[in-house]
Amino acid sequence: QVQPVESGGGLVQPGGSLRLSCAASGSPFSSFTMGWYRQAPGKQRELVARIFRDGARYYADSVKGRLTISRDNAKNTVYLQMNLLKPEDTAVYYCNANGPYGSYWGQGTQVTVSS
């Protein structure tokens, strides 16, 4: 069983930065494709960024150049560095661990971008 746990959300002003973390128990962490998704009020959950087992990355067009996903397999943790945040980035951010035996979700962390 894998249980991702997100942290690092909060309130930030437009143009500010936040770093989200997701610790995922389960072995081996390196076998998982890790992703960050977000869901704004009244909208569907969408993929923001993904990092594959080999370190390759994917980003949604709306976040390219502002958000960076990384992973530390020794710490079983994936990060999302968010810079130049915009009000439209406001959402609940979810961590997903996709492995050979299933897909697992965290409980989400709220990010609010507002002045």
Side-chain angles (χ1 to χ4, degrees), residues 6 8 18 30-31 54 63 79 82 94 104 112:
E6 303 97 337
L18 279 175
S30 59
S31 71
D54 64 358
V63 305
Y79 304 97
M82 303 190 294
Y94 296 91
Y104 307 92
T112 302

Side-chain angles (χ1 to χ4, degrees), residues 74-97:
K75 295 183 178 180
N76 286 11
T77 301
V78 63
Y79 304 97
L80 186 66
Q81 178 66 43
M82 303 190 294
N83 300 326
L84 300 175
L85 284 164
K86 305 175 181 181
E88 50 264 44
D89 294 316
T90 295
V92 178
Y93 283 70
Y94 296 91
C95 176
N96 174 263

Side-chain angles (χ1 to χ4, degrees), residues 21-65:
S21 299
C22 172
S25 62
S27 179
F29 177 81
S30 59
S31 71
F32 293 116
T33 293
M34 300 299 297
W36 285 99
Y37 292 70
R38 67 186 180 188
Q39 188 167 18
K43 295 188 177 181
Q44 290 189 330
R45 189 174 297 188
E46 62 175 355
L47 174 63
V48 174
R50 180 179 282 159
I51 187 165
F52 297 89
R53 292 176 294 174
D54 64 358
R57 296 170 173 85
Y58 164 86
Y59 296 98
D61 287 342
S62 60
V63 305
K64 283 181 180 177

